[in-house]
Amino acid sequence: MGKVFNFLSIKNKLILIFTPVVLVSMFAIGFFVNKILKENIYNGIINASNNALLQVDNTIYNYFETIKEDCLFLSQNSYVRKLNNSLTKYLTKKYIGEKSRKMKPSKSKGYEFKIYKIFKHYAKFHPEYAYIYLASKYGGYVQWPETKTKIPYDPRKRPYYMLAKSNPGKLVVTSPYHSGIDNVIISTATTIKGINGGIIGVQGVDVSLKGLTNLIKSIKIGKTGYLVLVDNEGVILAHPKNRKLIFKSIMELGIEDYFIKNTTNKLIRKKYEGNMYFFQVFISRALKWRLIVFYRESEFVEKVSLIENKVWGLIVSFSIVFVVIIVLISYLLFRPLKKIMSTMRTMKSGDFSVRIKNISSDEIGDLSKTYNKLADDIEKYKNELEEEYKSLDQKVKQRTFELENNNKQMMQSIRYAKTIQSSILPANVETQKLFDEHFIIYQPRDIVGGDFYFFQKVDDLLLISVVDCTGHGVPGA
């Protein structure tokens, strides 16, 4: 790897170095952003749940506050406070043997009829009320609307009466009770203070929770989220997905009572009906009931996946853009260097006339200026050397001409000296006269030699001389 890296250009090295840095940084940012978005989505679920829970809680609170005010208002009615022993009692002997009996206060006369008319008129403007009634301390009872009641019926033994009697002067709310397939009734009651100041009975108002059930059903949390209303005993009062579970135990949902009592205002992940759900428990301030939010985990995962795809799409896009920018910057940064290298190669081939143009004002520009100055100096020295060479060449040619001329003259002199030398050496005719058989070897090293021979006959004597001069060749001659 190191050897391959050494063979790469600086531009490619920078790209190779910075590209992983950018990619690692972008993917680190992606993981960080993805984590934050997951937390935001998670917090968004909690916020949506809290908003829905607060909305329902405020509705429940206002709903029952209004009922309490109405109940108190009725108990303080001047005619109601005149409650006496004239109300119908469903304990008398004449009803013995009957299992139930239809109440008929509208057919009665006197006080009971007037009380019934008050209740009927009040109910006309409060359609959400299921029953309006009062019970006297004597066991008498009057109610709107007229319905059947079991025989015997003693209102003083009913939960609403006993709870109100044990809390005189206060407004009380009973535990809900089931009425019909999907209807839940809850009673609000308070004691009735007579004209003389004593407790003479209990005023009560029953309401149906159908309205609350419909409200809860209408509230949507995301695509799959919904609310379930549970009382403080763990009994389901409203379930928008399955009305058959109304008035069943919370255990029917597969959720232990422990979670209901100990996980308020927390988002819990739990399996329900084969799917993973987030659920949150909220305690209502009005009746201390539990509001449970169910939110399918798959919707959370879907939102997270959608966000993740967008985030990673952006990360990949930005990574590509940054890599392109790195390559572009490397190209723009090293393009002037490539020009300098190309110009230097041209200089290497012997062309010193090429210069770098469009010089920038950065360090590469300074390098380009330095190169141009160097090229100017080299070209100057080259021109000077060429001029010097031309001058020397001219001198050499002149000197060569002179030497050749001198040599020619010298050779002419030497050849003439040879002629002279040859003229003083004995001729072959003379030697043949003196010797019958003979030979002479005379080979000068150069054209002329320093050695020579001589014959001369003097009377009967023959003088032969061979002379060796100091030196060889022309110097000897």
Side-chain angles (χ1 to χ4, degrees):
M1 182 65 183
K3 293 181 179 179
V4 175
F5 189 78
N6 291 334
F7 283 105
L8 295 175
S9 65
I10 296 177
K11 181 186 77 174
N12 292 333
K13 286 179 181 178
L14 285 178
I15 294 173
L16 190 62
I17 291 171
F18 284 106
T19 298
V21 171
V22 168
L23 292 178
V24 170
S25 300
M26 292 301 295
F27 277 90
I29 292 171
F31 281 113
F32 180 72
V33 170
N34 190 49
K35 180 181 178 182
I36 292 176
L37 290 175
K38 278 185 179 180
E39 292 176 355
N40 288 340
I41 293 173
Y42 183 84
N43 292 332
I45 294 174
I46 295 177
N47 292 334
S49 298
N50 287 335
N51 290 336
L53 291 170
L54 286 173
Q55 179 185 349
V56 174
D57 183 48
N58 288 334
T59 301
I60 294 174
Y61 181 82
N62 294 331
Y63 185 69
F64 282 101
E65 284 300 308
T66 301
I67 295 171
K68 288 178 180 180
E69 290 174 1
D70 290 342
C71 186
L72 182 62
F73 177 77
L74 289 170
S75 71
Q76 293 175 347
N77 182 278
S78 60
Y79 206 77
V80 171
R81 294 183 67 189
K82 295 177 182 179
L83 180 61
N84 52 49
N85 195 21
S86 65
L87 294 181
T88 301
K89 300 179 183 66
Y90 297 93
L91 296 171
T92 56
K93 293 181 181 180
K94 65 178 180 179
Y95 299 139
I96 293 176
E98 297 183 30
K99 292 183 179 181
S100 63
R101 186 172 184 82
K102 177 73 179 289
M103 298 179 186
K104 298 179 180 181
S106 63
K107 305 296 183 182
S108 64
K109 297 179 181 181
Y111 181 79
E112 185 172 339
F113 176 73
K114 290 181 180 179
I115 292 295
Y116 177 77
K117 283 184 64 177
I118 292 172
F119 290 170
K120 183 178 180 181
H121 178 76
Y122 205 82
K124 182 178 179 181
F125 299 98
H126 296 82
E128 70 275 13
Y129 292 168
Y131 305 99
I132 303 175
Y133 52 89
L134 65 77
S136 71
K137 66 179 182 179
Y138 308 108
Y141 182 78
V142 60
Q143 168 190 296
W144 172 92
E146 296 173 311
T147 61
K148 283 186 178 182
T149 184
K150 292 181 179 180
I151 301 297
Y153 176 77
D154 188 351
R156 295 169 297 182
K157 295 181 180 180
R158 302 300 298 168
Y160 73 88
Y161 192 96
M162 291 187 291
L163 184 62
K165 187 178 179 181
S166 62
N167 295 276
K170 295 182 180 180
L171 288 159
V172 296
V173 179
T174 66
S175 297
Y177 65 92
H178 202 198
S179 175
I181 297 175
D182 59 354
N183 195 20
V184 176
I185 300 295
I186 189 168
S187 300
T188 302
T190 187
T191 54
I192 301 171
K193 186 182 290 187
I195 301 299
N196 59 0
I199 303 299
I200 58 175
V202 171
Q203 173 68 55
V205 176
D206 285 3
V207 293
S208 169
L209 296 187
K210 274 188 175 182
L212 282 178
T213 302
N214 292 332
L215 172 65
I216 290 171
K217 186 177 181 181
S218 67
I219 293 175
K220 300 294 183 182
I221 303 174
K223 296 179 180 178
T224 60
Y226 60 92
L227 290 173
V228 174
L229 182 63
V230 180
D231 71 5
N232 48 14
E233 299 297 328
V235 176
I236 300 171
L237 303 179
H239 195 300
K241 297 293 184 180
N242 190 352
R243 289 182 175 272
K244 292 182 180 179
L245 291 175
I246 293 176
F247 233 70
K248 298 291 182 66
S249 171
I250 191 67
M251 301 291 286
E252 297 283 340
L253 299 179
I255 301 174
E256 297 83 353
D257 186 56
Y258 170 82
F259 287 103
I260 299 302
K261 293 180 179 178
N262 296 279
T263 57
T264 55
N265 297 323
K266 294 180 182 178
L267 201 62
I268 306 299
R269 181 175 179 269
K270 191 169 179 63
K271 193 171 185 179
Y272 171 58
E273 292 184 344
N275 297 306
M276 294 305 299
Y277 276 83
F278 289 114
F279 74 90
Q280 182 182 2
V281 181
F282 183 86
I283 300 177
S284 170
R285 57 178 172 154
L287 302 171
K288 304 303 178 184
W289 292 345
R290 268 65 172 176
L291 290 164
I292 309 174
V293 175
F294 284 77
Y295 188 90
R296 188 172 290 182
E297 185 185 44
S298 59
E299 184 177 346
F300 172 77
V301 173
E302 181 182 345
K303 289 182 178 180
V304 170
S305 298
L306 181 63
I307 295 296
E308 281 183 341
N309 292 337
K310 290 182 178 179
V311 169
W312 289 119
L314 289 173
I315 291 297
V316 171
S317 299
F318 279 122
S319 298
I320 293 173
V321 170
F322 277 117
V323 170
V324 171
I325 290 173
I326 290 172
V327 174
L328 184 61
I329 290 174
S330 300
Y331 172 76
L332 294 176
L333 184 63
F334 289 97
R335 184 175 62 174
L337 289 178
K338 292 187 72 174
K339 285 184 178 180
I340 294 173
M341 293 173 63
S342 176
T343 307
M344 291 181 71
R345 283 193 287 267
T346 303
M347 181 190 291
K348 182 181 177 181
S349 65
D351 186 0
F352 297 93
S353 63
V354 181
R355 297 291 182 271
I356 299 173
K357 299 178 181 179
N358 300 324
I359 298 175
S360 59
S361 58
D362 54 12
E363 290 81 357
I364 296 177
D366 294 338
L367 181 62
S368 300
K369 292 175 183 178
T370 303
Y371 167 79
N372 286 344
K373 179 66 169 59
L374 178 64
D376 290 339
D377 292 341
I378 292 175
E379 187 174 25
K380 178 182 176 183
Y381 296 145
K382 173 179 172 290
N383 293 334
E384 290 178 354
L385 287 172
E386 287 179 349
E387 290 297 326
E388 186 69 23
Y389 173 76
K390 289 179 181 178
S391 177
L392 288 174
D393 185 61
Q394 188 66 29
K395 290 179 180 180
V396 169
K397 288 181 179 180
Q398 180 65 30
R399 187 62 178 166
T400 302
F401 176 76
E402 292 175 354
L403 289 174
E404 287 178 350
N405 189 43
N406 291 337
N407 184 58
K408 183 177 180 180
Q409 292 178 359
M410 183 183 296
M411 291 302 295
Q412 289 177 350
S413 297
I414 290 173
R415 289 189 182 93
Y416 188 74
K418 181 180 180 181
T419 302
I420 296 172
Q421 189 179 58
S422 298
S423 66
I424 66 173
L425 291 176
N428 288 335
V429 175
E430 295 295 331
T431 57
Q432 289 177 359
K433 291 178 179 181
L434 296 175
F435 304 101
D436 292 331
E437 293 180 358
H438 69 280
F439 63 90
I440 298 172
I441 299 174
Y442 182 69
Q443 293 180 335
R445 193 188 69 176
D446 297 316
I447 296 174
V448 294
D451 303 328
F452 65 93
Y453 59 93
F454 182 74
F455 301 98
Q456 184 67 43
K457 187 175 181 182
V458 179
D459 296 331
D460 294 328
L461 296 175
L462 180 59
L463 299 176
I464 301 172
S465 61
V466 177
V467 183
D468 182 13
C469 294
T470 303
H472 302 279
V474 174

